Structure formats: structure tokens, C-alpha cells
Amino acid sequence: MSKKICRIISFCICLLCGVVAYGQNNNGAYGSFSPYSIYGIGNISKEGTAYNKSMGGVGIATRNKRFINILNPASVTARDSLSFMADFGLAESNTIYRQNLDGARLRSGNNTFNIYDFVISFPIYRSSALMIGITPFSDVGYDFSSVVTDQDIIGNTGNITYSNYGEGSIYQLFVGGGVTFWRRFSAGAQLIYYFGSLDKVYNMNYSDDSFRSVNNGYNLLLRGVTGKFGVQYEQPLGNELSLTLGATYRLKTNVKGHITDYSYANTSETTDTLRNSIDTLGRADGIKFGDEFGVGLSLRGGDRWSVEVNYLMSDWRSAMDSREGFAAVGSSAFTSTVSHSLRAGFEIVPNRNDIRYYLKRCAYRAGVYYDTSYYLFDGNRVDSFGLTFGVTLPVFRWYNGITVGVDLGQRGSLRGGMVRERYASFVVGFNIHDLWFQKPRYN
């Protein structure tokens, strides 16, 4: 193995350790920001690298030797036999919120920035390969408040401010492998470890200092282990055309960890503990992450273009509706349900081997998606839909490149007191590629 490869491996290992440490100590940054993340474990992240995201989130039937596809572990075998690959991504999102409440039109905005994923992949033996990585699974991020000034309610206490805020993330660290049989059928599996912490705080503060303010909250320290399985079958159709069928299944996850439930009464001089209890989560508590089943179909025209359609379903029913710390605080009722997702994407490369025009060697993508959330808000579905666009800019030799993607979409609506979110999200992925174990022709 060359010194160059050793340096790349050492850099990737150090960077992976840094990302893990960042995930464990990320107390100040939000992976996402949404009032809907007050329920359960927050917003479920859209999986995939910048490559997947710029194609509407497809990947179940993707077999592309130029990119790491983490959505189906069977796809890790689609590679050059000696190739080492890595992917590192950053994500930034800008969101405008709107709500019609009691005749008033409320507006606000927010933006977030975070590390999104880090994955490495390398061959093992002949038609088998391995990948290791970390990516967010869910994010909590919200901050809102209300002030009660009605004298019939507050009496002599002065104005009362109710505030809610939350932050934190659940990450998934995974190792997966795949093998190809008979040149057309590939199978793979992933071992996934979930870890992270979530903080949900709700406070009641009096403007009159003679009354004690009350600070309440939950700290959820969660972990869990599960598995994901995938298969792909590729059928050549002639004239460089090929059809690929893919399927994945992720098992339900029994959540373990601790929930700290606390309440403090504060004055300018003292703090009294009203409640501070720690509960241990186990299998008997029935807290689970939902399973997920997905199918995909792709059609590929050699190394020039591809089109793919995916469908996913995840069952979260009765996963965390009544458990303190997971259920939302307040009068709004959240209930877990079955989520669905329909995605489609397209990629085209004008001419990968063009030596005169750089832009003809770039890969251009577009996609569309429609998702339903794993919860209902006051009985209403929280849907999201959007368009994605992206491009991969080749860098140096082999398959190295920089992928830039944008997601323009909307979640929620203005009916039933819901919050409508319109967002523009950007992702940048760095695709690293090199060859391993090349024998020198001359000493």
C-alpha cells in the first residue's frame, strides 16, 4: 500500500473520530429547527449522501461505482475492484415558518448548519466490500414562547411567560457489507448503533420577582442496536441499458437509556429542587424506533444517464405516544402512525470523457419527493414535498469530485392551526476515490 493511501486512511480515521466526538458533544448547534420536533425523537433525517439528496433521496436500486450509496448495503459491491472511497458532507438549511392562529398571521425564520455524514468504503475479497460511517438519524430543535397578560387569569402575579425549547440529535453509527453472486444478484447487511441525547425544556416565568419561576424539562440519553438488510438484482437489456430492482428492510429498535425528569423553583437568590428522577429505559417500556421497508426500480443507460423511483414505509404506531419525555408537552396532541415516502430522481452526464469542455463531464441531477411524517398533529397528517437539484464537479483524476445539491420544499400547512414550513436546504459532499494495492510494474 502506498504512503499516499496510508495518509488518506489515517486522515479518514481521525475525521471519523472527530465526527463521533462532535455528535456526542453537540449541545449548541441544531441539526434541524422545527416546532414539530417537540414530539418523540424529533425530525427523522433524510438519509443518504449529497449524491442521494440531489436525486430526490433515491438509492434503493442505485448501483453506481463512482459514489458510496448508504441507502442499500447491497450496493456497496458496485465498485472498481481495487477502489477506496470516502464521502464527507455538510448541510445548511433556511426555513420560513407561518401560522394562522386566532386570526393572527405569525411569521418567523431560522437557519441551521451542521456536519451531515462521513462514510468510507473499501473492497474485502473479490466481489465483496465493506463500508463504515456515521450520519444523523433524528434531530430536535425548537424555541417558542407565549406571554399571558389577561388580568382575569394572572390576577396579581404579573405577566406570565411560558417558554419551550429543545435541542439534541440521535446519530447512527453503522458498518455494512455486501457480496455479489452470479454477477447480477447482490445482498448486503448493516449493523446500526444509535446514540445521542435530547433535551426538552418548558419554563414558567413571572414578571413579578416575588413569585418563583419554575423550570421543568426532560433529558433523554438514548441508545439502541438494530440491523438493516438489502438486495439488488441487475438485468442487462442490451445497448448499455440495464434494469435494477432493489429492496431494503430495517428492523424495529428497542430503545435503551435513561430519562431524567426534573423541576426547579427559582428566585433571585435560591433554587429549590421540586423533582429530579432518573428512569431507566428497557425492553419492557415498549419504546421503539419504527421498522422500515423500501423498494426501488432504476433504469440505467451505461455511464451516461439513470432514472430511479423508490417507495418506503415505516411503522411507528404506539411507539412513544404516552411516555413522558417523548410525548409533547401542552394541549396539542401528537400520535405516532405509519409514514410513507415516494421519491424519484434523474441523472445525466453529457460526456464523461470530453477533454475540451469541463461542464460536459459534470453529472447533473434532479428529483422530486413526497413524504408523510411518523406522527399526526391533532389528527392531521404532516406532509412534506419538494424538488431537488444537484451537480457533481469532477476533481483531478479517478472519480474524485465535489457534489452540490439544493432541496426546495414545504412541510405542513396552514389548516387546523398547523405551522407551514418552506425551506431551501443546501448540501455539499466531498467524494474521495483512489486505488488500493496496485502492484508496481517496475522495481
Side-chain angles (χ1 to χ4, degrees), residues 71-363:
L71 298 187
N72 189 336
S75 69
V76 72
T77 60
R79 65 192 309 114
D80 291 337
S81 59
L82 300 178
S83 61
F84 166 84
M85 304 169 70
D87 188 281
F88 174 67
L90 303 171
E92 194 270 346
S93 182
N94 309 276
T95 307
I96 299 296
Y97 310 91
R98 179 177 172 182
Q99 183 183 29
N100 294 338
L101 188 63
D102 298 330
R105 294 184 178 181
L106 307 179
R107 290 177 180 268
S108 63
N110 190 271
N111 58 75
T112 62
F113 177 84
N114 216 334
I115 297 172
Y116 189 77
D117 70 278
F118 179 73
V119 191
I120 60 175
S121 175
F122 46 86
I124 298 298
Y125 177 73
R126 291 187 179 179
S127 59
S128 61
L130 187 72
M131 61 179 169
I132 304 171
I134 184 172
T135 186
F137 179 67
S138 73
D139 296 293
V140 169
Y142 60 89
D143 188 354
F144 53 90
S145 62
S146 62
V147 181
V148 180
T149 60
D150 189 339
Q151 291 297 322
D152 293 335
I153 298 176
I154 63 177
N156 297 321
T157 64
N159 295 343
I160 305 175
T161 301
Y162 294 93
S163 60
N164 293 263
Y165 69 87
E167 61 183 18
S169 298
I170 303 296
Y171 292 84
Q172 51 181 336
L173 180 66
F174 62 87
V175 55
V179 62
T180 297
F181 304 94
W182 311 295
R183 296 185 178 181
R184 296 185 182 179
F185 178 77
S186 300
Q190 280 183 2
L191 178 65
I192 303 173
Y193 174 67
Y194 297 109
F195 68 97
S197 64
L198 308 175
D199 289 304
K200 300 181 179 182
V201 181
Y202 54 103
N203 298 328
M204 181 173 62
N205 299 309
Y206 295 90
S207 59
D208 187 340
D209 292 338
S210 62
F211 292 88
R212 298 198 300 176
S213 298
V214 180
N215 303 103
N216 311 275
Y218 296 96
N219 174 260
L220 286 68
L221 184 63
L222 308 177
R223 65 182 186 276
V225 178
T226 191
K228 183 177 182 178
F229 307 93
V231 293
Q232 290 181 331
Y233 178 79
E234 186 174 16
Q235 176 62 50
L237 301 178
N239 295 325
E240 293 190 338
L241 284 177
S242 64
L243 180 71
T244 302
L245 301 173
T248 59
Y249 180 68
R250 188 189 68 216
L251 302 172
K252 283 183 179 289
T253 308
N254 291 306
V255 179
K256 298 181 180 180
H258 300 87
I259 299 178
T260 302
D261 178 7
Y262 60 86
S263 179
Y264 302 103
N266 303 302
T267 66
S268 58
E269 298 178 353
T270 62
T271 298
D272 295 328
T273 301
L274 304 180
R275 182 179 65 256
N276 193 328
S277 61
I278 301 177
D279 293 335
T280 302
L281 286 175
R283 183 181 296 270
D285 293 273
I287 304 299
K288 299 178 183 293
F289 297 163
D291 62 352
E292 181 185 78
F293 171 73
V295 293
L297 172 68
S298 72
L299 184 65
R300 189 172 188 84
D303 207 23
R304 185 177 180 186
W305 63 269
S306 67
V307 61
E308 182 173 349
V309 177
N310 288 178
Y311 168 75
L312 297 97
M313 179 184 69
S314 185
D315 189 355
W316 289 75
R317 287 175 294 185
S318 302
M320 53 191 70
D321 288 345
S322 59
R323 188 64 164 87
E324 290 187 358
F326 293 93
V329 178
S331 59
S332 297
F334 284 83
T335 53
S336 53
T337 184
V338 178
S339 67
H340 303 271
S341 180
L342 184 62
R343 306 169 182 176
F346 177 77
E347 177 190 53
I348 186 169
V349 184
N351 185 356
R352 289 195 187 276
N353 301 313
D354 196 295
I355 60 175
R356 186 174 181 182
Y357 298 106
Y358 175 80
L359 293 181
K360 288 187 177 182
R361 303 200 306 270
C362 299

